[in-house]
Amino acid sequence: MTSSTDAALRLAAPSMEHEREILDYRAETLAADGKHLHGSGGLDNLGVAEWLAHLERKARPETCPEGLVPDSTFLCVRGEDGAVVGMLNIRHTLNDYLLQYGGHIGYSIRPRERGKGYGKEQLRLGLAECKKLGITRALLTCDERNAASRRVIQSCGGVYEDTRTNPDGKRMERWWIVP
């Protein structure tokens, strides 16, 4: 079994160069987790080219769709083989919904790569990106039933604030981390 210490991870901007890996990631994750891809910035229902155009619009305040906040989406790529092992989305600012339930960072690890330490390294890389964006305290949230995500947040220095029930009835833990 490969661990994150054996194969360095890096964050990469999504591009058509990664189309096959992106599609495989989406299919595997949706099959395992249902209809939502955490940290993908909207890949759930879009083709790759359409998704990339959507990400470009969302990245800039002047073109970000109404009701959303500017954000950056990254692929988490394993160095030894170029495999996409995760996705990470950083919201540059928080609207009221994100402040209550969503946070600055959303992320996921490909189902077959879970339990190998990649989540912690991906979040560590994401926090470095937050710092570059001037985010001095990053809010992360996780479903209170998601023990793996909680452990990742805690391992990166997360400080628990509280748990809130979102409009869908899910109880979301709120954690703060200084990047």
Side-chain angles (χ1 to χ4, degrees):
M1 173 167 40
T2 301
S3 73
S4 61
T5 58
D6 297 331
L9 300 180
R10 65 181 172 81
L11 296 182
S15 70
M16 289 305 290
E17 172 187 332
H18 299 284
E19 182 178 24
R20 176 74 335 222
E21 278 285 321
I22 291 167
L23 291 172
D24 289 348
Y25 181 95
R26 178 173 67 186
E28 181 181 334
T29 304
L30 289 175
D33 297 342
K35 62 182 178 179
H36 185 68
L37 292 174
H38 296 283
S40 73
L43 178 61
D44 313 64
N45 302 307
L46 301 173
V48 175
E50 188 180 16
W51 177 61
L52 294 171
H54 178 66
L55 294 179
E56 190 173 318
R57 282 190 304 277
K58 290 190 331 166
R60 295 186 309 279
E62 62 273 10
T63 57
C64 186
E66 188 174 333
L68 300 178
V69 299
D71 65 16
S72 301
T73 298
F74 298 93
L75 306 176
C76 186
V77 179
R78 186 171 47 218
E80 71 184 23
D81 60 3
V84 174
V85 300
M87 289 195 184
L88 180 121
N89 177 260
I90 300 172
R91 295 85 175 207
H92 302 177
T93 61
L94 298 177
N95 59 23
D96 187 57
Y97 180 86
L98 293 172
L99 179 62
Q100 300 300 316
Y101 316 111
H104 284 98
I105 301 174
Y107 59 89
S108 62
I109 296 294
R110 183 181 209 134
R112 71 173 178 236
E113 302 294 351
R114 293 175 184 164
K116 298 179 182 180
Y118 292 136
K120 178 180 177 181
E121 180 63 11
Q122 178 178 253
L123 180 54
R124 188 189 68 72
L125 292 167
L127 290 166
E129 291 296 325
C130 285
K131 193 171 190 173
K132 291 177 191 176
L133 289 166
I135 298 170
T136 57
R137 278 183 9 139
L139 176 64
L140 285 93
T141 66
C142 70
D143 185 309
E144 71 177 356
R145 298 168 298 177
N146 190 339
S149 186
R150 179 185 309 108
R151 285 190 303 272
V152 167
I153 294 168
Q154 289 172 324
S155 73
C156 288
V159 176
Y160 176 78
E161 181 174 57
D162 61 16
T163 300
R164 299 181 184 182
T165 304
N166 75 11
D168 295 331
K170 287 185 183 173
R171 296 198 25 91
M172 303 302 292
E173 295 177 358
R174 298 171 70 250
W175 299 79
W176 291 92
I177 300 177
V178 175

